[in-house]
Amino acid sequence: MRQVTGQVEIERPPVDEAGQNHEEAQEPAEPTQSQVPDLQAELEKAQAQAAEYLDGWQRARAEFANYKKRVEAEREELRRAGNETLLLKLLPVVDDFERAFQTLPEETADTPWVNGITMILRKLQVILESEGVVSIEAVGQPFDPQRHEAVIQEETGDHPDGYVMAEVRRGYRLGERVLRPALVKVASNTKKEHEGNG
């Protein structure tokens, strides 16, 4: 179909009743036999590149997940260390309260003032327990340098050798870690052993 506008002739492609251009709507040609190996090679190259991108993405995703875990663990460690520092500062206050109650005169033991102070001590102990702080067993236990710190060693036949006779200062654990070792008096039976051998 030709259309004349002024002096210029424009050749327009034929259009059907629906307004479709038949020249543009042609189906792509089937690849020839000689093009198949090239297309196969291109496909394999594209598949290898896609696999490489997928592998890189999965690796980056795993690295990010590990990074997130590491950051969370570091944050938890900082929080725990901060708590540990605060708890260590509270323990001497609890020690002072307990020493005061050990020397309390009997006639004042049941006064409202002393009962109020007892409640304050109990609140402190509840705070420590809620944070996972537990006292370390010492008296009657074999001496353990991981949990106990010997400040006195006493010759005695009343206790087995190397066992804790008394606690000078209570020790505490925070979970499985020793927050503060117990200061203890340890029994020694070396003289008795020497006498038995001699």
Side-chain angles (χ1 to χ4, degrees):
M1 172 187 263
R2 290 179 184 231
Q3 187 175 13
V4 179
T5 57
Q7 297 293 343
V8 182
E9 266 186 40
I10 301 172
E11 183 81 29
R12 294 190 181 250
V15 179
D16 67 7
E17 293 170 4
Q20 296 282 330
N21 181 342
H22 290 288
E23 287 182 11
E24 292 174 5
Q26 289 179 355
E27 301 240 345
E30 287 287 318
T32 63
Q33 206 59 1
S34 62
Q35 292 175 319
V36 171
D38 293 339
L39 292 173
Q40 187 68 33
E42 274 185 52
L43 176 63
E44 287 172 6
K45 183 179 174 184
Q47 286 174 333
Q49 196 171 28
E52 186 180 325
Y53 290 157
L54 178 64
D55 183 53
W57 174 77
Q58 287 173 333
R59 197 175 302 122
R61 187 175 171 199
E63 284 172 7
F64 181 69
N66 290 339
Y67 167 77
K68 259 177 83 174
K69 286 178 190 170
R70 194 168 53 251
V71 166
E72 283 298 317
E74 286 170 4
R75 188 178 296 143
E76 181 60 28
E77 178 64 24
L78 282 172
R79 189 192 68 75
R80 191 193 55 71
N83 279 0
E84 197 170 299
T85 302
L86 177 61
L87 294 169
L88 276 168
K89 289 178 180 177
L90 285 175
L91 291 179
V93 177
V94 173
D95 294 340
D96 291 343
F97 271 115
E98 289 175 346
R99 270 193 297 275
F101 281 111
Q102 287 170 359
T103 59
L104 191 67
E106 281 187 38
E107 61 273 10
T108 60
D110 202 26
T111 63
W113 186 85
V114 171
N115 290 337
I117 300 299
T118 305
M119 286 175 64
I120 294 170
L121 172 60
R122 186 64 200 132
K123 281 183 183 177
L124 270 172
Q125 290 168 334
V126 166
I127 289 169
L128 293 174
E129 288 167 11
S130 71
E131 291 297 318
V133 177
V134 182
S135 62
I136 293 172
E137 284 187 59
V139 178
Q141 299 291 316
F143 177 76
D144 179 358
Q146 299 291 324
R147 299 179 302 131
H148 308 135
E149 188 176 323
V151 289
I152 304 167
Q153 190 168 13
E154 188 175 297
E155 288 288 338
T156 179
D158 298 334
H159 298 276
D161 187 50
Y163 273 68
V164 176
M165 297 170 55
E167 190 176 62
V168 177
R169 185 190 72 186
R170 186 170 294 163
Y172 292 93
R173 285 185 296 113
L174 179 57
E176 293 304 310
R177 292 177 53 163
V178 173
L179 186 60
R180 183 180 81 178
L183 300 182
V184 295
K185 180 172 23 172
V186 182
S188 174
N189 294 332
T190 53
K191 281 185 183 174
K192 198 172 184 181
E193 286 174 15
H194 288 307
E195 287 168 11
N197 292 337

